[in-house]
């Protein structure tokens, strides 16, 4: 009953937070490994080199990523998707904070406010998230999947994805960031439902039920593999065409929104929520969105003291402040560690990160 649900909810919450920490760290480890290779003059990943396979830091990053994804997968078995998915944003925050520490990439004022907003939004979401765990067995999952509301939703997702891929893709895919990211997000909402079902199947398997004989588990597994392949393919396309700092926040917002819609329809997580919890969940989500947006959109904008209101500029008469304002312009740029790295090689770095996502 209530107590069991409470522990499940907190287990899911803990796993989701751990997952963000691991995934955020993995980006930094991989990037650090790639930078070490380029310093030794090996062929860069962006130019088709595979030297990173001999770099232990890169493998540590990969391992971290694996642990993070596994924790995330497990979190869905315990906590509602409406809670687990938005917390994924914290991995962006972890990597932003760590890269300012370990990669000397400056986090400007916008970035710091963005981090703060994401943390606040996550806190609000956790407080108001739906607590009910509606589905506890594969049978009840099967019942939910037969729900006409969900079937209509799934058909809409598939049809719109096909239209985006075959009709909109060739025409607008190169110029509009939304085309491929929408495909990822729509399909992603279905893959989260598969993950949720598989998590429940694993939970039942460990408690000794004959899950392997049930076809539903296998169907979900096959669907998950297909969904994830489509997602990775189109996310890489988007990252290849557009800048990472544009794709990441847009993808996060669309993906989370579609997951929340899907779980609202499939698990009816919102049915038992009082109005202030619904408002709280949505406000928390929008706060995270604005935080992520600030963190990414203004990532390379120099923030000079000239932008401050006049009453805050008084301190600029001392020599240190004027020295700072000259230096600040460069400091806030996302600078590569090595002066020899030009912009093109940096984007190769970002593409490589994208491929490993």
């Amino acid at each position: 009953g209530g107590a069991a649900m409470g522990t499940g909810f907190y287990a899911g919450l803990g796993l989701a937070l751990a997952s963000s920490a691991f995934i955020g760290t993995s980006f930094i480890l991989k990037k650090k490994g790639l930078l070490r290779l380029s310093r030794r003059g090996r062929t860069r990943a962006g130019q088709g080199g595979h030297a990173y396979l001999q770099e232990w830091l890169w493998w540590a990053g990969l391992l971290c990523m694996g642990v993070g994804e596994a924790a995330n997968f497990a979190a869905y078995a315990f906590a509602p998707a409406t809670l687990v998915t938005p917390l994924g944003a914290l991995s962006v925050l972890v990597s932003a904070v760590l890269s300012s520490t370990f990669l000397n990439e400056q986090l400007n004022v916008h970035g710091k406010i963005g981090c703060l907003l994401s943390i606040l939004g996550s806190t609000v979401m956790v407080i108001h998230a739906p607590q009910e765990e509606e589905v506890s067995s594969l049978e009840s999952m099967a019942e939910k999947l037969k729900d006409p509301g969900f079937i209509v939703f799934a058909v809409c997702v598939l049809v719109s994805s096909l239209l985006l891929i075959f009709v909109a893709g060739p025409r607008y895919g190169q110029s509009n960031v939304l085309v491929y990211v929408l495909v990822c997000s729509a399909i992603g909402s279905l893959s989260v439902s598969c993950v949720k079902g598989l998590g429940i199947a694993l939970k039942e398997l460990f408690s000794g039920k004959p899950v392997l004989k049930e076809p539903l588990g296998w169907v979900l597994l096959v669907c998950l593999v297909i969904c994830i392949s489509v997602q990775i393919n189109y996310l890489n396309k988007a990252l290849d065409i557009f800048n990472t700092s544009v794709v990441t926040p847009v993808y996060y917002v669309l993906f989370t929104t579609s997951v929340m819609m899907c779980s609202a329809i499939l698990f009816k997580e919102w049915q038992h929520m009082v109005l202030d919890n619904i408002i709280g969940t949505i406000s928390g989500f929008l706060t995270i969105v604005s935080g992520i947006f600030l963190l990414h959109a203004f990532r390379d904008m120099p923030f000079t003291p000239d932008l401050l209101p006049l009453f805050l500029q008084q301190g600029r008469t001392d020599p240190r402040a004027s020295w700072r304002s000259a230096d600040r312009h460069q400091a806030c740029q996302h600078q590569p560690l090595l002066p020899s790295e030009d912009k093109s090689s940096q984007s190769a770095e970002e593409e490589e990160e994208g491929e490993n996502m």
Side-chain angles (χ1 to χ4, degrees):
M5 187 235 74
T7 53
F9 180 82
Y10 290 115
L13 175 61
L15 284 163
L17 292 173
S19 148
S20 291
F22 277 111
I23 292 173
T25 312
S26 79
F27 279 124
I28 304 303
L29 288 170
K30 279 184 186 170
K31 182 107 175 183
K32 200 124 174 122
L34 293 169
L35 285 172
R36 267 174 57 167
L37 286 175
S38 68
R39 225 167 301 160
R40 294 194 216 126
R42 309 294 291 270
T43 311
R44 303 177 59 96
Q47 286 138 24
H50 290 288
Y52 57 83
L53 294 175
Q54 293 155 16
E55 174 59 69
W56 68 268
L57 267 173
W58 188 85
W59 284 105
L62 196 67
L63 185 70
C64 245
M65 190 78 153
V67 173
E69 293 296 353
N72 197 33
F73 186 97
Y76 282 111
F78 292 103
T82 309
L83 171 74
V84 178
T85 311
L87 289 181
L90 295 178
S91 64
V92 175
L93 186 135
V94 170
S95 69
V97 172
L98 289 178
S99 64
S100 74
T101 316
F102 294 109
L103 297 177
N104 306 338
E105 293 181 354
Q106 296 291 327
L107 202 58
N108 60 12
V109 176
H110 299 100
K112 286 172 184 157
I113 297 172
C115 287
L116 193 64
L117 280 175
S118 300
I119 293 171
L120 289 175
S122 306
T123 313
V124 173
M125 277 210 79
V126 170
I127 295 168
H128 293 288
Q131 299 259 331
E132 274 69 51
E133 216 1 24
E134 286 291 316
V135 187
S136 52
S137 66
L138 270 184
E139 289 97 65
S140 58
M141 181 79 185
E143 285 306 306
K144 300 260 180 215
L145 290 170
K146 288 177 197 153
D147 186 69
F150 176 70
I151 292 171
V152 170
F153 175 79
V155 169
C156 289
V157 163
L158 294 171
V159 170
S160 55
S161 298
L162 289 171
L163 285 173
L164 282 168
I165 292 170
F166 295 112
V167 181
R171 276 190 214 165
Y172 311 109
Q174 298 292 325
S175 56
N176 192 333
V177 70
L178 289 175
V179 178
Y180 292 135
V181 175
L182 269 171
V183 175
C184 299
S185 308
I187 298 291
S189 68
L190 296 180
S191 66
V192 165
S193 307
C194 296
V195 165
K196 187 102 178 132
L198 284 170
I200 292 160
L202 282 174
K203 235 161 126 183
E204 289 199 311
L205 185 66
F206 290 131
S207 65
K209 291 187 187 166
V211 177
L212 297 174
K213 293 182 186 144
E214 292 198 30
L216 180 64
W218 298 105
V219 172
L220 287 174
L221 186 62
V222 171
C223 291
L224 181 65
V225 171
I226 296 170
C227 288
I228 287 182
S229 318
V230 172
Q231 263 176 284
I232 289 173
N233 179 28
Y234 286 100
L235 191 59
N236 275 342
K237 268 194 178 174
L239 286 167
D240 196 36
I241 302 167
F242 305 98
N243 199 325
T244 320
S245 57
V246 178
V247 175
T248 311
V250 172
Y251 176 58
Y252 169 76
V253 173
L254 291 174
F255 174 65
T256 311
T257 309
S258 56
V259 168
M260 285 163 83
M261 274 170 57
C262 180
S263 61
I265 294 168
L266 181 59
F267 302 115
K268 308 199 171 39
E269 287 175 348
W270 301 71
Q271 259 187 3
H272 309 286
M273 288 171 74
V274 280
L275 185 64
D276 58 356
N277 278 351
I278 293 179
I279 295 169
T281 302
I282 294 171
S283 315
F285 173 55
L286 293 176
T287 311
I288 299 177
V289 167
S290 37
I292 295 288
F293 178 76
L294 272 177
L295 186 62
H296 276 281
F298 301 109
R299 195 161 102 170
D300 295 331
M301 266 180 70
F303 187 83
T304 55
D306 313 336
L307 296 173
L308 291 173
L310 281 170
F311 68 91
L312 287 173
Q313 287 190 25
Q314 253 96 61
R316 291 191 56 207
T317 46
D318 71 300
R320 270 191 324 178
S322 56
W323 161 74
R324 270 209 203 102
S325 71
D327 201 48
R328 178 68 56 92
H329 186 83
Q330 296 167 317
C332 290
Q333 300 292 343
H334 234 39
Q335 278 191 326
L337 276 182
L338 314 165
S340 65
E341 282 202 272
D342 57 345
K343 197 75 191 129
S344 67
S345 62
Q346 205 185 354
S347 64
E349 200 82 277
E350 289 188 348
E351 268 174 45
E352 154 76 315
E353 258 183 56
E355 279 165 33
N356 291 325
M357 264 173 74

